[in-house]
Amino acid sequence: LAEKMKKSPAEVIKKLMMLGVLATINQEIDADTATILAQELGFEVEVKVEQDVEALFMQEPEDDPADLQPRPCVVTVMGHVDHGKTSLLDAIRETNVTATEAGGITQHIGAYQVEHNNKKITFLDTPGHEAFTAMRARGARVTDIAILVVAADDGVMPQTVEAINHAKAAGVPIIVAINKIDRPDANPDRVKQQLTEYGLVAEEWGGDTVMVPVSARTRQGLEDLLEMILLVAEMQELKANPNRPARGTVIEAELDKGRGPVATVLVQNGTLSVGDNLVAGTTWARVRAMMDYKGRRVKKAGPSTPVEVLGFSEVPQAGDQFFVVPDEKTARQIAEKRANRKREEEFKAAMPRVSLDALFNQIKEGQVKELRVIIKADVQGSAEALKQALERLSTEEVKVNIIHQGVGAITETDIMLASASNAIIIGFNVRPDVNARRVAEKEKVDIRLYRVIYDAIEDVKAAMSGLLEPEY
Ligand code: GDP
């Protein structure tokens, strides 16, 4: 700012002080402060805000209620292992999908739809509250109704309770499917009784939880279950606006040998079309082709429709939320920005002070007699100064050994050297390049970055003195 105004930094800092702001020469000040400051010094200020494209598309514009149309509900099946979740999903799919269409082959794409009374229901095909909560942990809210499967012969079990808690935590209404009622030892009333302990009271007992006796084996009660799902869905008044760019969630994704990255996405609002560009997590796609759960090619997918999408740059993650952007360049740009940010975060997380600490623990236990260090700095003079200062920290017990010093960014070779030699890397005014970060993460090499030599010395000194046995 001082340069721009052709003033000396001292003059600017002094003015700031008079305005009650204590700042150093390289400190950032906010736009408001800069405006006041510049005006004080007789300048006119124009604040230019850099547009954040990501933020622009991330926030969902409110839909006009007039544009909203009813959408199918999305259902997840949960419950204890072996209570029949998979059997139930299969039975519903077979009864309502394949049978109605001669020769129709269902594809496993992670979700499917059935039609009942001319209304659609979308079933997520990965049963269990683990998948449900993993998605939720990633911010995805896809399920409108949870079907809690409880085997009538087995009753409420630990995972039944977990499923109840997960659904409740998400605020998703529960419909209980009391399964295996074909079994001679089936006791639906006992299930209902047990469920009251968890706040689920059957309607016929004066509560408000819908409970349907079913058998995935004999297919008894399946129509009732679908009927009840539609009823509960109706009360939720689920709506979306099909006439806008799509957004939704990745349900599953994999790398297909022939087709490349493939993802099943659930469109939650808007309509996804072939040719659209989208961002999903840290990946992007230009939608090359879409297939429905029957494996048929489709050109468009509206709200609550699951489709398999081809054209992703990389395999996205289940739970990634996607949104359509106007062009490929924007999609790529946002995805890359996010990928970089993620790498940085992962890098930070993978680089706790563990390594240095671990090393000093070994020193403490007498297993290690020297601390090996690699120094990388922006200029030779700094590297040399740091080297000398660190070497001076050597004690009788522990020697500080600078095994390598150099000028420039921290590279993959530095990491490999550190890994092979059990050394830490100290970077002074330099950073690891992308490759180095990746390898460091894998090799669990401790990289410590400093801008002040004194800080580097203090850290090493503190670790050494703090962890070494006191001398008597
Ligand atoms: P999941 O672990 O909850 O997905 O349970 P599965 O669908 O794998 O079913 C577990 C076992 O229960 C399998 O051997 C099924 O054949 C059986 N099973 C599922 N539903 C029924 C049912 O309605 N009646 C009977 N008798 N057995 C069932």
Side-chain angles (χ1 to χ4, degrees), residues 102 104 124 148 161 203 218 240 247 270 297 327 333 339 348 455 467:
L124 297 184
L148 179 70
V161 178
E203 281 184 316
T218 65
R247 56 173 61 224
R297 277 187 175 244
D327 52 62
Q333 193 186 343
K348 273 189 208 141
D455 289 344
L467 285 159

Side-chain angles (χ1 to χ4, degrees), residues 50 78 91 123 153 160 180 188 190 236 241 248 255 284 297-298 301 315 334 360 369 387 391 395 441 467:
E50 250 183 59
M78 303 186 192
F123 281 89
D153 57 332
T160 314
K180 306 197 189 184
R190 189 173 68 110
Q236 289 184 294
N241 174 7
L255 187 62
W284 62 274
R297 277 187 175 244
V298 290
V315 182
I334 296 174
F360 277 110
K369 292 267 183 279
K387 176 175 190 276
E391 278 174 346
T395 62
E441 217 173 294
L467 285 159

Side-chain angles (χ1 to χ4, degrees), residues 93-104:
R93 184 205 282 117
E94 282 159 22
T95 324
N96 294 275
V97 179
T98 329
T100 51
E101 292 213 5

Side-chain angles (χ1 to χ4, degrees), residues 80-87 179-180 182-183 215-217:
H80 195 72
V81 64
D82 280 347
H83 278 197
K85 298 181 291 293
T86 313
S87 305
N179 191 30
K180 306 197 189 184
D182 58 290
R183 288 186 60 117
S215 165
R217 179 155 297 171

Side-chain angles (χ1 to χ4, degrees), residues 71-72 113 240 242 266-272 300-307:
R71 65 164 176 87
Q113 283 188 315
L266 178 75
V267 178
Q268 294 178 279
N269 203 4
T271 295
L272 186 63
K300 289 186 181 305
S304 297
T305 310
V307 274

